[in-house]
Amino acid sequence: VSLGMGDRFFGKTPSVNISHRRKHSEFTASYNKGITFARDIRTEDDLINPGNFNSSLNTQSPIIDERLTLGYIYSGRRASINASGNYSDQTREDNGQKSTYKRVAVTVSPDISSIYTVSGTIAWNADEPQDYFGFSNLGISNTGETWTCDVQVSRSLSERMSLSLGYQFTDQQ
């Protein structure tokens, strides 16, 4: 367990990191509030839905990012399971526009053989910009929801090379 507290020009910046490891599993949780930029968030992870340009990411302004992340990994003899979730509440510094991003994903990787590996992922993303280009209550919905299913099959060709085939289906509203 790690706890932290800071004070920036926009207010308090608390942080909490928790990690618990057992024989075959690991649980992680973190919460932090900090300042960042849109370019850093876009390259950070899959939390952001790239199809929505009406959000806090359409800015050069600093963004206050308050984020909660949870993760669980189970590695057994026959399979491994990885579940993760993110919740990010973002506020633009220039105009106070708020946006909320959520993501939940589960990946299952059964052990088939020493030559072949298979994995499947199902993920749900949602973004909820609360203002539309800085104006609220215009009656225009600019929220986005995305479901993604991904299947990967790999074959080991040698110690340093493998061949992979993947299929991804995305349903975006």
Side-chain angles (χ1 to χ4, degrees):
V1 176
S2 170
L3 302 171
M5 178 61 81
D7 196 8
R8 304 280 301 263
F9 68 91
F10 58 86
K12 302 286 184 203
T13 56
S15 67
V16 177
N17 292 305
I18 300 169
S19 179
H20 182 335
R21 187 181 305 232
R22 296 206 44 141
K23 188 174 184 179
H24 294 286
S25 63
E26 180 179 4
F27 171 78
T28 57
S30 67
Y31 167 82
N32 62 10
K33 181 178 179 183
I35 193 162
T36 188
F37 290 91
R39 66 181 174 270
D40 299 326
I41 294 174
R42 279 191 215 106
T43 59
E44 200 167 88
D45 55 19
D46 292 336
L47 178 64
I48 307 307
N49 180 358
N52 192 340
F53 299 104
N54 304 326
S55 65
S56 64
L57 295 180
N58 190 19
T59 183
Q60 297 294 324
S61 169
I63 298 171
I64 299 171
D65 186 10
E66 192 169 2
R67 186 177 298 212
L68 173 66
T69 304
L70 300 172
Y72 179 76
I73 299 172
Y74 174 79
S75 298
R77 289 184 184 155
R78 298 189 174 236
S80 65
I81 299 170
N82 184 346
S84 63
N86 292 311
Y87 179 88
S88 176
D89 193 16
Q90 300 175 8
T91 306
R92 288 172 52 166
E93 265 300 289
D94 60 353
N95 63 5
Q97 179 181 353
K98 294 182 176 288
S99 297
T100 302
Y101 297 92
K102 298 173 248 181
R103 176 178 168 80
V104 176
V106 176
T107 301
V108 177
S109 302
D111 286 339
I112 295 177
S113 72
S114 60
I115 297 174
Y116 290 99
T117 59
V118 175
S119 70
T121 302
I122 186 164
W124 171 79
N125 289 14
D127 53 5
E128 300 171 3
Q130 297 165 357
D131 294 332
Y132 191 76
F133 288 114
F135 300 102
S136 59
N137 299 324
L138 290 177
I140 301 171
S141 175
N142 62 337
T143 61
E145 182 176 78
T146 305
W147 284 91
T148 305
C149 296
D150 188 331
V151 177
Q152 297 280 331
V153 178
S154 297
R155 183 184 191 287
S156 178
L157 300 175
S158 69
E159 201 172 293
R160 294 181 178 213
M161 187 181 300
S162 66
L163 179 65
S164 296
L165 176 66
Y167 175 77
Q168 184 178 62
F169 175 79
T170 302
D171 180 23
Q172 185 172 8
Q173 304 291 323

